[in-house]
């Protein structure tokens, strides 16, 4: 079992199920040209996000961690014409690439990109009193995953789904003594999730071109009183 095999199999299944898509390919090329880190979700993961949003009939989606807008485009494509994705990004440079990619995808009217630290933007969203979200995708700095998940619960409706990326990190997540602060962040998130009675959740391990990692899927079953 090797990285090479995982990548070959990903090429095989994605080749069958995910038609070549000039807009998405141009978005990835623009990220590369701008030297953004190559850490967007894979096409198969992007399509999973899209399908989850469809199944959920999501109209309002929150994304934490935009990068160049690749996952944002997948999510926005699942929305009805009156839907929206609010996406949060720390780096102005990433946000600029994302805005251009989203415009090329003809999705600008559906996307509300906010630049800044998510932990500062999230309270602003709460203060705006927006309609609750139907779906949240958490994919930013892993150290703050627990805090992002708490905000996701607070800002979403009962029945909302929350997806968290990068929760396995080559299996390092199972090592209580890991020296990686990001993995410690995921471990704190896992402990919170285990104790949280207002969500039901599962974590799925994945392999593919991005290595061995995984995601958590949670459904909000209750709200704070
Ligand atoms: N969801 C994207 C990938 C996101 S990569 C995709 O699949 O296409 C993680 C992003 O989170 C990076 O762009 C990084 O700049 C951003 N980020 C890191 N710390 C952040 C913070 N405190 N607030 C908001 N965004 C942050
Ligand atoms: C990293 C971040 C991600 O969101 C990801 O999907 C893969 C890697 C990283 O920071 O290394
Ligand atoms: Mg990620």
């Amino acid at each position: 079992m090797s990285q090479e095999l995982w990548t070959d199999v990903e090429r095989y299944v994605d080749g069958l199920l995910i038609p070549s898509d000039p807009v998405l390919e141009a978005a990835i090329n623009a990220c590369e040209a701008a030297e953004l880190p190559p850490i967007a979700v894979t096409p198969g993961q992007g399509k999973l996000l899209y399908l989850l949003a469809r199944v959920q009939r999501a109209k309002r989606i929150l994304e934490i961690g935009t990068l160049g807008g690749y996952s944002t485009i997948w999510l926005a494509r699942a929305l009805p014409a009156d839907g929206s994705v609010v996406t949060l990004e720390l780096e102005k440079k990433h946000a600029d690439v994302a805005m251009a990619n989203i415009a090329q995808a003809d999705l600008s009217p559906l996307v509300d990109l906010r630049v800044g630290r998510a932990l500062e933007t999230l309270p602003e969203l709460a203060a705006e009193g927006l309609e609750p979200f139907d779906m949240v995708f958490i994919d930013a700095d892993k150290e703050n995953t627990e805090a992002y998940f708490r905000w996701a619960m607070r800002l979403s409706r009962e029945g909302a789904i929350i997806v968290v990326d990068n929760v396995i990190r080559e299996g390092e997540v199972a090592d209580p003594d890991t020296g990686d602060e990001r993995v410690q962040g995921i471990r704190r998130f896992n402990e919170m999730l285990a104790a949280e009675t207002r969500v039901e959740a599962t974590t799925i391990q994945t392999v593919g071109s991005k290595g061995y990692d995984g995601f958590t899927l949670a459904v909000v079953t209750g709200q704070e009183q």
Side-chain angles (χ1 to χ4, degrees):
M1 299 290 193
S2 67
Q3 181 59 60
E4 196 187 345
L5 178 63
W6 302 339
T7 303
D8 283 350
V9 173
E10 182 175 303
R11 199 172 296 124
Y12 167 70
V13 288
D14 286 2
L16 287 169
L17 298 181
I18 307 182
S20 136
D21 187 318
V23 165
L24 286 169
E25 281 150 27
I28 285 295
N29 290 340
C31 290
E32 254 178 55
E35 298 184 336
L36 268 46
I39 56 176
V41 293
T42 64
Q45 293 166 345
K47 190 163 183 184
L48 175 65
L49 292 171
Y50 162 87
L51 291 172
L52 286 168
R54 291 272 309 262
V55 167
Q56 179 71 351
R57 298 195 198 300
K59 279 185 76 171
R60 297 194 28 82
I61 300 175
L62 172 64
E63 174 177 68
I64 308 179
T66 316
L67 191 64
Y70 182 79
S71 53
T72 318
I73 292 172
W74 274 109
L75 289 167
R77 281 181 171 179
L79 291 170
D82 61 343
S84 65
V85 185
V86 179
T87 184
L88 315 186
E89 174 54 52
L90 173 64
E91 303 287 347
K92 174 78 167 59
K93 178 182 165 183
H94 299 184
D96 288 345
V97 174
M99 287 304 274
N101 284 336
I102 290 159
Q104 283 297 317
D106 287 326
L107 292 165
S108 304
L110 300 185
V111 178
D112 175 358
L113 195 165
R114 312 271 182 114
V115 181
R117 287 183 188 284
L119 283 179
E120 288 169 20
T121 312
L122 288 160
E124 289 167 16
L125 293 178
E128 286 171 30
L130 303 170
E131 245 182 278
F133 293 103
D134 307 305
M135 175 171 180
V136 183
F137 177 45
I138 300 176
D139 190 21
D141 48 321
K142 312 308 167 192
E143 293 85 343
N144 285 316
T145 302
E146 177 185 0
Y148 295 150
F149 193 89
R150 288 187 189 283
W151 276 109
M153 286 179 59
R154 175 162 168 201
L155 295 174
S156 60
R157 67 165 167 89
E158 198 172 317
I161 59 176
I162 305 174
V163 180
V164 186
D165 195 25
N166 310 116
V167 297
I168 298 293
R169 306 319 317 252
E170 301 187 313
E172 208 174 324
V173 73
D175 176 5
D177 301 319
T178 174
D180 187 331
E181 249 318 298
R182 295 170 302 178
V183 178
Q184 287 293 358
I186 297 297
R187 287 181 59 85
R188 288 194 298 277
F189 159 65
N190 285 335
E191 277 147 39
M192 180 271 289
L193 192 60
E196 179 54 68
T197 56
R198 293 166 297 170
V199 295
E200 287 196 286
T202 190
T203 289
I204 298 296
Q205 305 181 66
T206 59
V207 293
S209 59
K210 285 184 75 184
Y212 167 37
D213 211 324
F215 63 90
T216 296
L217 174 64
V219 177
V220 178
T221 54
Q223 283 290 348
E224 268 173 275
Q225 296 310 305

